[in-house]
Structures are given as C-alpha cells and as structure tokens.
Amino acid sequence: MLIFKFCLTLFGLGSLALALTAQPDFAADVIRANLLQSSENAMLEKRNPVPAGYDAPPYYPAPKGGWVADWSAAYSKAQKVVANMTLAEKVNLTTGTGFLMGPCVGNTGSALRFGIPNLCLQDSALGIAATDNVTAFPAGITVGATFSKALMHARGFALGEEARGKGVNIQLGPTIGPLGRKPRGGRNWEGFGADPVLQGWGGAETIKGMQANGVIATVKHFVGNEQEMYRMDIIPHGLMRALSSNIDDRTLHELYAWPFMDAIKAGAGAIMTSYNEVNGSAASQNSKLINGILKDEFGFQGLVMSDWLAQIGGVSSALAGLDMAMPGDGNTPFLGLAYWAYDLSTSVLNGTVPLERLNDMVTRIVATWYQFGQDQDYPLPNFSANTDQPTGPCYPAALISPTCATNQYVNVQADHAIVARNVSREGITLLKNFNNTLPLSTAATLKVFGSDAQNNPDGINSCNQRACNKGVLGMGWGSGTANYPYLDAPIDAIKRKASQVTYYSGDSFPSGATVAAGDIAIVFISSDAGENQETVEGNNGDRSASGLEAWHNGDALVNAAAAKYSTVIVVVHTVGPILVEKWIDLPSVKGVLFAHLPGQEAGNSLTDILFGDYSPSGHLPYSIPKAESDYPSSVSLVGFELFQVQDTFSEGLYIDYRYLNKQKITPRYAFGHGLSYTTFSHTELSLTAVTPLSAIPPPRQPKGSTPIYSSVIPPPSEVTWPQGFNKIWRYLYPYLDNPSSISASKKYSYPAGYQTTPQPDPPAGGDQGGNPALWDIVYTVKLTITNTGFRPGKDVAMLFLQYPSDSPYETPIIQLRAFDKTDTLAPGQSQAVTLEVTRRDLSVWDVGMQNWVIPASQSKPFVFWVGSGSANLSVACESLSGACSGGRTPPVV
Ligand SMILES: *[C@@H]1O[C@H](CO)[C@@H](O)[C@H](O)[C@H]1NC(C)=O
Ligand SMILES: *[C@@H]1O[C@H](CO)[C@@H](O)[C@H](O)[C@H]1NC(C)=O
Ligand SMILES: *[C@@H]1O[C@H](CO)[C@@H](O)[C@H](O)[C@H]1NC(C)=O
Ligand SMILES: *[C@@H]1O[C@H](CO)[C@@H](O)[C@H](O)[C@H]1NC(C)=O
Ligand SMILES: *[C@@H]1O[C@H](CO)[C@@H](O)[C@H](O)[C@H]1NC(C)=O
Ligand SMILES: *[C@@H]1O[C@H](CO)[C@@H](O)[C@H](O)[C@H]1NC(C)=O
Ligand SMILES: *[C@@H]1O[C@H](CO)[C@@H](O)[C@H](O)[C@H]1NC(C)=O
Ligand SMILES: *[C@@H]1O[C@H](CO)[C@@H](O)[C@H](O)[C@H]1NC(C)=O
Ligand SMILES: *[C@@H]1O[C@H](CO)[C@@H](O)[C@H](O)[C@H]1NC(C)=O
C-alpha cells in the first residue's frame, strides 16, 4: 500500500486511488518492482539456466487463421474489412488502450469506420468482476465437483448472458490452467479439478454456454501457471524473471494442454497466455507454445492475448504468435509506453514485423468478432470496472480525463440464482456419514460453530477482490472473483429451516457453550487461496503459510466440539484439499461435507443437503491425502532462486491420484469419492467397439486456404496523427509523430530458428482441437444405474481407463476418461447411461512421432473400469474379449 501511495504521488494520479482498489487482474508487485527498474537495469538478462533436458524450440512463422471450415464465413467477412483497413486501424485492434483507459479491465482501440468499437475485456470465470447487480456463481472447483455436464453448460450460459447484458465482448474465463498440480497452488479453485478430462469438460461446456450468447470466451492460462509466487517478471527481462515451468512434451500433451484441446474443439474464441515461462521462454512469446502447439497442432482460429502486463517484448511476441497485448502497456503501466500500439506501427513500417503477421493478428480478432455475431446489435459496455459511481473519469489513468456516464447498474441476474444454487448444491460432497447421521431433522437441537457460517461483519464485499477470509468463504481471492449481490450465509439458512439453533460465531470453542444429550454440533471451517497480488493471513496467493491445514485453528475447533458433543457434523469451505487427520476418526465426528466454494448461494444449497431435501451428489475433484508428504516433493511450492525460479515438472504424469496410485499410497479420500443418502447399483455393463483401432489416427487433411492480402508496406501517412486529434495523455495510440522518418536501415537480428516459410502441417493437427479423428468414439460402455436405496438421488458414473499391461509407454495405472451424471432417480428407478471413449482417450502422446498413438496389444486388453470414484471400481469391461464383469478386484484402493 505504501508503494501504491508512492506510485500515485509520483504520477499525480489522485483519482486512481479509488479505481485501483476495484481493479482486477492487476498486480501491485508489478508496479512496485517496475519502479525499481531504472536503477537496476544494469544487471539484466542474467538467469539460471533451465535444467538440462528442457528447451524451448523455435517455431516460426506464426500459422495464419482461417483454414478451418467452422470459421470460414467469419474469416471471409473479416478479410473484406481487414483488406480495407489502414495501418492505424489494424494496430488499434491488437493493442489495449492502457491500464484504466476505458470502462473494462482491458479495452482495445477501435476501428469505427467498420463498426468495430473498443472491445471490452472483463474478468472473471465466476461472474462479471468489479461491478454490480450480477450473480456471484460458485467457483470452478465447485462446478467440477458436480460432475454434471448439464450444470457446467447452464452456468456457462448464465455467465455469458450476464457478460452480454453488461456489454462485455470478451469474457476472461473459464480458467482451465492451473490444473491443480500443486495442492497449495493459489488459483486451482478457479478451475474444475486436478484431472485433465474433468478440466476439459468443465472448460468446454462453459465455453459453449458462454459463447451461445455471442460473448467471446477466453480460456486461460496457457500454460504451466501452477504456482502464484514468482509467476511474473519482478524486474522486467532481468534480475528476476518469471518462474520457468519446465514441462516435457508428453506431460504437456497428456495433462496441461489436454483441456485446451477440448476448449479449442469447443470453439473458444480467445486464449490468454500465462505469466510464467515454459522451458525458459515466456509464455507470451513462446513460439513453440503459441505458433506450434496452439495455432498449428491444435488449429486454434481465434486470438491469443497476453495476461495483464505479461508481454515482455514487441517484435518477439508478434513473431511468436501473440495477437492482442493486454492491457496494452509495456511492463510499467500509466506511462503511456507500449511494446505494441505506436511501436507495432514502427515495426511494420520498418519491415521487421512482417505485414503478413499483423494482418493475421487483426484478421483473427475481426473474424472472432464476426464468428460470435458481435457485428449484430451487440451492446456497448454499460458499467465501469473503475468506479461504482454513475459518472466519473472515462480514463482514470489520464491526468485530465473527460467525464463519462460510467454505470447504468443494469441488473443482469435474471433467474441465475437458481443455476447458482443448483451447482452449489450438486457440488456438495459428502465424505463421511456414520450410520446415516445425515440428513438432520429440522427439529434437532443444533449448536453451530465457526465464523465461516456467517457473513463477514464488515460487509460481504468489504475486502478488495475478496482478499480476506472473514465470514463464509464463497470464493477465493484475486481477479477471478465477482462482487456478491447478496451472500446467503449458512447460519441464516439453517435458522430459516431448523427451530432449535444456537450460533457461536467465534473460531475458538466458547466457554459458555451448553451441551445437552442429543445436541448436534455443526462446525464450519475453511481454507482460502487466491492470486498473488494480495497476501492474506500470510498466504501469498498460494497456501504458503497455511499449508493444507484448515485456517483459523479449524482443527482445534472441531476437536473441541467433538470432545463435548457426541454428534458433530463438519462443513468445509475450501479451495482444495485440506488435511482432516486431526479429527476425521474421532467417534463423534459423524458427518463431513465439503461445500467447496459455493458463491452467493452458500446457505440454501447447504441446507438443501443438510436437512435432506436433496441427496448429496458431489464428488471430489481431487484427492485428499493423509499427509502433505504423500505427494511428490516436486509439487511443493518452489522457493526463491536468484535470477529465475525453476519449477521442473519432474513427476511427469504423476499428479494427484495418478501419483498416489503409483506409489500405492491410500489417500484419506480418493479422487471422485462422494457419498449419497441413497445407494446405487451399476448393472448390465456392456462394451461396444465403435471404430476399428489403428495405432495412429488416419492422416489429417491439408489446411484450407487463408486470407491473402497485399504485401506492400503501407505508407507512413497511415499512422500520422489525424488533424486536430484530441490526445488523452498516456493513452495508447497507433500513431507516430514522424512516421516517414522510419526506415529499415539496420538488419534486425531475428531469433534463432526464425523463418518465413510455413512449417509442414503437423500430423497431430487437422482441425480445431487437433486431428478430428482424435474425437472419434472408439468404444462405448453402457450400463444401467438403479437407485437401490430409499431416497431420491443422482449418481455419477466415472470411467477410468487402464492401459494394456504390456504397453511400451509407462502410464498411470488408471486415468479418468469419461463420466456422466444421472437425472434424479426415485427409489427403484433406473437410468441407462452411455460412457463414450474417444481415440484420444486411448492414446499416448509419442514424443518421437509427434503424434497420438494407441498402444493396443494382441494379448493384453484395455480395461474400462466403471464406478463412482477412483477407489470404488469393481465392474469393468475388457477390450479384447469385449466382456464385462462385476465383483472384480479394484486396480487401486
Ligand atoms: C520443453 O522441453 C522439452 C524437452 O526438451 C521439449 O520436448 C518440449 O517440446 C519443450 N516445450 C516447450 C513448450 O518449449
Ligand atoms: C473495401 O474496399 C473495396 C474497394 O475499395 C470496396 O469495394 C469494399 O466495399 C470495401 N469494403 C468494406 C467492408 O469497406
Ligand atoms: C484508434 O482507437 C482510438 C480509440 O481507442 C480512436 O480514438 C482512434 O480514432 C482509432 N483510430 C482509428 C484509425 O480508427
Ligand atoms: C442494482 O440495480 C438496481 C436497479 O435495478 C439499482 O437500484 C441498484 O443500485 C443496483 N445495485 C447496486 C449494488 O448498484
Ligand atoms: C447496457 O445494457 C442494456 C441491457 O442489457 C443494453 O440494452 C444496452 O445496449 C447496454 N449498453 C448501453 C451503452 O446502454
Ligand atoms: C523496427 O522497429 C522495432 C520497434 O521499434 C524495433 O524493435 C526494431 O529493431 C526495428 N527494426 C529495425 C530493422 O530497425
Ligand atoms: C435446478 O434444480 C431443480 C431441482 O432439481 C430443477 O427442478 C431445476 O430444473 C434446476 N434448474 C436449473 C436451471 O438448473
Ligand atoms: C445407528 O442408528 C440407529 C438408528 O438411529 C441406532 O439404533 C443404532 O444404535 C446406531 N448404530 C450405531 C453403531 O451407532
Ligand atoms: C461405491 O459405488 C457404489 C455404486 O455406485 C455405491 O453404491 C457405493 O456407495 C460406493 N461406495 C463408496 C464408498 O463410495
């Protein structure tokens, strides 16, 4: 904060103070560090070498968009427009106008001659951030726990409706990276769980829902942003570079990039790169990642943007495939300096950035705008992320700004509270229920403990970007948040349902608590995490201080309650796994509910389950180990290293249950665990081979054509300041004072491996997401699920694949490949469920062949295990015989 004041005084930005407290995806540490830049520039460019075995191979040139059939109409519209654009118009669309230079967290320049306004980019993945009258949906991790594709879609659709209603063109979500490799990682909760298939479905369904409203979804963060601390350059380009996630090619494909394939297959319009480097090359200008993997192999047709202030070079990022720089500023905001904007004009005029590349950037942006129909009556922003007042400066970062109508307070919530409550309810995961203690009777005498049951007494939105853990924990902190329109606190909902309720709001056991036989204690505990720009109770974003322990002495509170009451129910609001060993086996701890991060509907969704109006149907989207040391040491948070922190993914494919299973470590609760108030049977299993197997996918089709433009460098006059132009100080423009003076006098020294001849079509590519044959269904497993108990409920069937035991590729024992959730089944009712297994699901990424290979064998089968969790598998089908059977010994426990 001190630094902020210094910064504000330095730049004379009094009006900024308010705006900053409302600003998403903006890191105080960047400003702090960048102010130091000038004095320490001397020692730049030093860094530790990336460990042997990891390198960032060059991949040039950037593949052009427009060759995929689904996008051809949008690209031909875009081509007509881009062909007529001036250099200034083109550059405008690629670059943000500067931090706090417009109503949204990111705003591009405009090209009004063609009806293209300043595009509005706005957080977050769980609601429209930093504004009013929106729904605060449950976080991604809660959505993952539902294992419901229908709810993933419904929430995405509602999010998109709200974004459109506020005039957001490009919504910054869903989050599908981090994947949750590190249990302490700060932003895992924004995504759907520690498994690529679950994360992939969560992302794809959210995208389809959002984009059905014409909003452009942004999947983020590509890739390897598994830890918050050190994620950014601390001194630009030097002394301390962003940490390097060193990831081998197979692990990238089978874990971290896998959900991005699904997102692209689902038609995602935008991708945000991450802050970190990968193999020692910044994600915002890693040519292998953007040009090679996203645009060539995965056939991505939309636009690639940087994370906020993550761009570290102008020419380098353009060549490496970045299409949009956000929020436009170079490494230090508020100075009116940019790597692109006017300097991209220069790099095109001097011939260093090929005009072809700029044309492709702009064509991708304009085509995406057409692809989602934003040329047809799309609303302009009617809110401001910078202020909650009805009027205010249009450009808070300018010293003198015109005044704008800022907020119209458009209420976009519609009936989305229903979707929010349904997701929160269906995410609630029943981990333990001794002797059917749950559900509770509304007539029971309830003693409720813990501050996590009530609303923050300071106000539900009192902490900037929810950067505090006070009151019920409905979401983590950082840019991935939204303001609560209301927060239905659990204690209020419990009091509405039950007649005998006493609440003790402290986090230590109250001396005055009365105990009577038959009392039931409900203890609320929590664990929080968030984005790195804020530190909460010593946790720097990641759970650096708390580890995997409950916050606020939650374990002690449970123990104290368990010592007094014979029946204790523990409710946990958490960003990820917490250790429960200190109390889980106490005889009075009879029930445990993980309610994850429920958003605004924390209360009703919980009482729906507590009192038995619904049976719980959530399942853990990660494992809960008995000790943190059960995980491989390589997934611990990495600490300080001078010059650059190296984070090497040496555990490869073995994260979460994949590792625990390999090491034969029995977790406390396995990935997928989740009980119900009723019981289900899985019968009539059958396996159908749909497509004959070949080791590799059938050859891809060659790429279709892409727009062709004149290659003549435009006249400098296209970027001279328009006559009488009213410049906003520090705003980022495409214009140059003296463009005709620019020449290509010296030779530019291009990166090693730079070329302008296109690379051969990668065999693994061919369409959005990759070779379309990867999505061919090769097997289906059908089964009948019957409710064999006494209450209505929903069941989840998960399919885990076991590779042939003679596979030449070492592979995790089992991996989730498909899942589905039933409708509500009444007692005795059955539903047929079909689980589909695709070619990709059976494949391994072969690094040498650079292709997906099915390691089928003549003598050993693929085994398709089906059950309600990774450690509850006893029925299976086998590929060679086609036979299915029950009562088998599970592959893992
Ligand atoms: C990282 O390094 C590994 C090992 O050299 C390589 O296989 C992989 O392609 C690299 N990935 C990226 C994105 O640079
Ligand atoms: C582009 O310019 C051509 C030729 O000047 C003109 O025919 C066409 O209508 C223009 N298209 C747009 C979208 O302005
Ligand atoms: C570029 O965008 C700015 C607004 O961000 C606008 O003032 C300017 O007119 C645009 N330039 C062109 C050439 O359209
Ligand atoms: C929400 O919208 C209503 C009008 O529908 C307005 O009165 C109210 O001020 C808005 N809420 C907030 C928090 O701004
Ligand atoms: C604001 O929201 C309303 C309702 O969604 C919409 O009709 C309008 O076009 C939006 N934009 C402006 C600038 O009013
Ligand atoms: C062209 O301009 C860019 C941006 O200013 C600069 O980085 C590059 O070195 C220039 N190239 C030449 C050949 O002068
Ligand atoms: C929400 O859940 C209720 C109860 O299961 C169901 O009737 C309703 O259709 C669901 N609505 C949405 C939008 O998911
Ligand atoms: C389980 O609950 C039933 C019914 O409330 C009770 O009779 C029985 O004693 C309980 N069993 C145990 C082991 O507590
Ligand atoms: C295991 O799966 C069966 C069938 O779905 C289910 O009835 C049972 O409750 C599950 N057991 C556990 C411990 O999850």
Side-chain angles (χ1 to χ4, degrees):
M1 270 305 127
L2 191 84
I3 289 297
F4 263 120
K5 282 206 192 106
F6 167 58
C7 164
L8 298 176
T9 321
L10 188 72
F11 298 116
L13 301 177
S15 66
L16 261 181
L18 253 179
L20 278 174
T21 59
Q23 263 312 314
D25 226 328
F26 167 66
D29 43 356
V30 168
I31 294 198
R32 181 189 318 127
N34 290 359
L35 286 172
L36 304 173
Q37 186 189 3
S38 47
S39 58
E40 309 202 39
N41 246 344
M43 302 174 62
L44 301 189
E45 292 305 338
K46 252 191 121 177
R47 59 179 163 131
N48 286 354
V50 171
Y54 298 91
D55 65 82
Y59 195 104
Y60 298 100
K64 287 186 222 167
W67 53 270
V68 160
D70 268 3
W71 286 70
S72 60
Y75 267 86
S76 51
K77 289 181 198 168
Q79 177 172 15
K80 292 198 181 81
V81 163
V82 175
N84 287 5
M85 277 186 173
T86 62
L87 180 56
E89 285 162 336
K90 291 177 185 175
V91 169
N92 248 9
L93 294 182
T94 64
T95 311
T97 57
F99 193 60
L100 300 177
M101 286 296 193
C104 305
V105 304
N107 309 272
T108 65
S110 60
L112 295 178
R113 275 202 313 142
F114 306 96
I116 305 176
N118 300 88
L119 300 177
C120 163
L121 291 83
Q122 184 66 18
D123 289 312
S124 77
L126 65 64
I128 316 307
T131 185
D132 53 84
N133 282 316
V134 298
T135 305
F137 289 92
I141 200 71
T142 315
V143 184
T146 69
F147 280 81
S148 164
K149 294 169 190 170
L151 285 175
M152 290 167 177
H153 190 278
R155 173 176 167 278
F157 188 84
L159 278 164
E161 257 185 356
E162 299 202 3
R164 184 180 184 126
K166 291 279 184 188
V168 174
N169 299 90
I170 303 182
Q171 184 162 15
L172 304 177
T175 304
I176 54 173
L179 182 65
R181 167 181 179 244
K182 298 191 180 202
R184 291 189 183 212
R187 295 179 80 178
N188 300 343
W189 57 273
E190 291 186 35
F192 304 94
D195 178 275
V197 169
L198 181 56
Q199 191 84 258
W201 275 100
E205 291 301 319
T206 305
I207 290 160
K208 288 183 202 162
M210 278 181 180
Q211 293 191 158
N213 295 282
V215 176
I216 298 164
T218 309
V219 277
K220 56 189 192 175
H221 308 85
F222 194 70
V223 66
N225 188 175
E226 298 289 329
Q227 159 167 338
E228 283 297 286
M229 194 63 189
Y230 309 119
R231 66 183 175 155
M232 295 176 172
D233 274 10
I234 295 184
I235 310 288
H237 316 298
L239 214 59
M240 269 300 286
R241 294 173 66 127
L243 76 68
S244 178
S245 290
N246 305 313
I247 314 177
D248 70 81
D249 198 32
R250 181 173 171 205
T251 301
L252 183 78
H253 278 83
E254 294 186 32
L255 287 187
Y256 301 96
W258 176 294
F260 287 88
M261 292 176 79
D262 292 300
I264 295 170
K265 174 84 178 164
I271 295 179
M272 187 193 291
T273 59
S274 53
Y275 283 113
N276 55 280
E277 304 195 353
V278 173
N279 291 3
S281 169
S284 61
Q285 55 175 42
N286 185 314
S287 63
K288 168 74 177 171
L289 284 178
I290 309 177
N291 290 339
I293 292 181
L294 286 183
K295 290 185 173 175
D296 234 356
E297 187 185 325
F298 296 172
F300 179 57
Q301 303 295 304
L303 64 102
V304 177
M305 72 176 78
S306 66
D307 203 339
W308 266 234
L309 304 171
Q311 193 187 22
I312 64 165
V315 176
S316 49
S317 59
L319 300 180
L322 193 73
D323 303 306
M324 188 183 275
M326 276 295 146
D329 310 81
N331 48 55
T332 309
F334 310 133
L335 300 180
L337 298 176
Y339 290 118
W340 283 1
Y342 57 87
D343 213 35
L344 184 55
S345 303
T346 303
S347 338
V348 170
L349 288 178
N350 73 13
T352 293
V353 170
L355 179 62
E356 232 186 338
R357 178 74 265 270
L358 176 67
N359 285 338
D360 175 57
M361 293 179 191
V362 183
T363 307
R364 285 173 175 273
I365 294 165
V366 177
T368 306
W369 185 72
Y370 278 120
Q371 175 78 347
F372 299 101
Q374 295 196 354
D375 56 320
Q376 307 289 324
D377 298 323
Y378 201 84
L380 293 170
N382 47 35
F383 74 102
S384 169
N386 309 322
T387 174
D388 57 8
Q389 298 302 302
T391 58
C394 315
Y395 313 110
L399 189 56
I400 300 162
S401 166
T403 298
C404 279
T406 42
N407 288 299
Q408 294 177 31
Y409 309 102
V410 179
N411 189 339
V412 293
Q413 297 167 85
D415 59 356
H416 300 159
I418 300 171
V419 180
R421 176 174 172 172
N422 284 5
V423 173
S424 303
R425 178 206 306 131
E426 289 204 18
I428 293 175
T429 308
L430 177 63
L431 297 182
K432 174 175 181 179
N433 193 16
F434 178 76
N435 199 22
N436 298 320
T437 305
L438 289 168
L440 304 176
S441 157
T442 52
T445 304
L446 302 178
K447 303 288 173 64
V448 180
F449 298 90
S451 63
D452 178 62
Q454 69 177 359
N455 277 334
N456 182 347
D458 305 335
I460 51 178
N461 292 315
S462 58
C463 299
N464 178 35
Q465 296 191 344
R466 309 300 79 77
C468 62
N469 182 10
K470 229 176 154 184
V472 57
L473 184 69
M475 55 183 84
W477 75 81
S479 62
T481 56
N483 292 334
Y484 291 110
Y486 60 85
L487 176 45
D488 181 33
I491 187 59
D492 299 335
I494 291 170
K495 284 181 173 166
R496 286 198 298 270
K497 288 285 263 191
S499 42
Q500 310 285 327
V501 182
T502 311
Y503 178 45
Y504 303 97
S505 64
D507 286 320
S508 25
F509 194 78
S511 51
T514 57
V515 182
D519 279 1
I520 295 175
I522 309 180
V523 183
F524 284 82
I525 63 174
S526 69
S527 175
D528 201 357
E531 199 176 5
N532 182 231
Q533 69 265 31
E534 309 250 21
T535 293
V536 177
E537 300 184 34
N539 295 276
N540 59 28
D542 305 310
R543 291 190 280 175
S544 54
S546 72
L548 306 185
E549 310 284 334
W551 288 31
H552 308 153
N553 294 316
D555 290 341
L557 186 62
V558 176
N559 269 283
K564 303 268 188 187
Y565 298 92
S566 58
T567 300
V568 175
I569 307 298
V570 183
V571 177
V572 183
H573 288 123
T574 182
V575 291
I578 65 162
L579 301 174
V580 297
E581 296 308 304
K582 289 186 178 142
W583 41 262
I584 193 70
D585 281 333
L586 296 177
S588 44
V589 174
K590 299 264 172 28
V592 178
L593 290 168
F594 264 43
H596 308 285
L597 299 174
Q600 69 184 33
E601 289 292 329
N604 280 327
S605 59
L606 182 67
T607 51
D608 281 347
I609 299 293
L610 268 183
F611 300 107
D613 296 321
Y614 294 83
S615 287
S617 62
H619 290 260
L620 282 178
Y622 45 72
S623 309
I624 297 181
K626 291 183 178 151
E628 195 173 355
S629 58
D630 286 349
Y631 295 115
S633 56
S634 60
V635 305
S636 305
L637 299 176
V638 284
F640 182 81
E641 275 176 89
L642 208 53
F643 308 126
Q644 184 170 44
V645 173
Q646 299 296 328
D647 190 359
T648 300
F649 290 34
S650 55
E651 74 290 340
L653 300 173
Y654 297 95
I655 61 167
D656 203 86
Y657 68 89
R658 290 165 167 80
Y659 178 82
L660 300 172
N661 291 342
K662 181 185 188 196
Q663 298 299 318
K664 298 190 167 44
I665 297 170
T666 306
R668 171 55 66 172
Y669 293 114
F671 177 93
H673 176 71
L675 304 171
S676 169
Y677 296 155
T678 188
T679 54
F680 299 95
S681 66
H682 293 172
T683 58
E684 300 178 68
L685 218 65
S686 67
L687 178 74
T688 309
V690 181
T691 311
L693 295 184
S694 57
I696 56 168
R700 61 169 289 169
Q701 295 296 309
K703 282 181 188 168
S705 64
T706 55
I708 294 168
Y709 300 101
S710 159
S711 58
V712 179
I713 292 181
S717 58
E718 289 193 2
V719 290
T720 47
W721 290 94
Q723 290 246 297
F725 191 81
N726 182 20
K727 279 188 224 180
I728 310 289
W729 192 38
R730 302 195 186 105
Y731 196 94
L732 300 175
Y733 293 106
Y735 306 117
L736 292 166
D737 290 339
N738 191 6
S740 44
S741 68
I742 290 164
S743 63
S745 44
K746 65 178 163 59
K747 218 168 123 51
Y748 187 79
S749 101
Y750 285 100
Y754 180 71
Q755 62 180 64
T756 51
T757 334
Q759 301 277 343
D761 290 350
D767 201 346
Q768 287 191 87
N771 188 327
L774 292 172
W775 275 271
D776 288 348
I777 292 164
V778 293
Y779 284 102
T780 57
V781 173
K782 296 197 174 83
L783 68 151
T784 301
I785 299 184
T786 305
N787 183 343
T788 51
F790 301 98
R791 287 169 170 276
K794 294 186 175 188
D795 189 32
V796 171
M798 304 182 195
L799 184 153
F800 288 84
L801 179 69
Q802 186 174 18
Y803 278 76
S805 54
D806 59 0
S807 162
Y809 303 90
E810 195 199 323
T811 301
I813 300 175
I814 54 166
Q815 303 192 81
L816 180 70
R817 285 302 189 238
F819 61 88
D820 208 356
K821 191 168 199 169
T822 64
D823 303 330
T824 301
L825 299 178
Q829 198 183 348
S830 296
Q831 186 175 337
V833 168
T834 302
L835 299 167
E836 295 177 333
V837 180
T838 65
R839 171 180 278 281
R840 183 179 59 151
D841 292 330
L842 289 189
S843 300
V844 164
W845 177 254
D846 187 294
V847 175
M849 291 173 76
Q850 288 290 294
N851 209 341
W852 294 94
V853 175
I854 298 183
S857 138
Q858 297 304 314
S859 54
K860 306 287 182 195
F862 283 99
V863 188
F864 305 93
W865 294 93
V866 175
S868 66
S870 68
N872 189 14
L873 304 169
S874 61
V875 295
C877 303
E878 297 195 353
S879 63
L880 293 176
S881 64
C884 303
S885 56
R888 296 180 52 144
T889 308
V892 299
V893 286

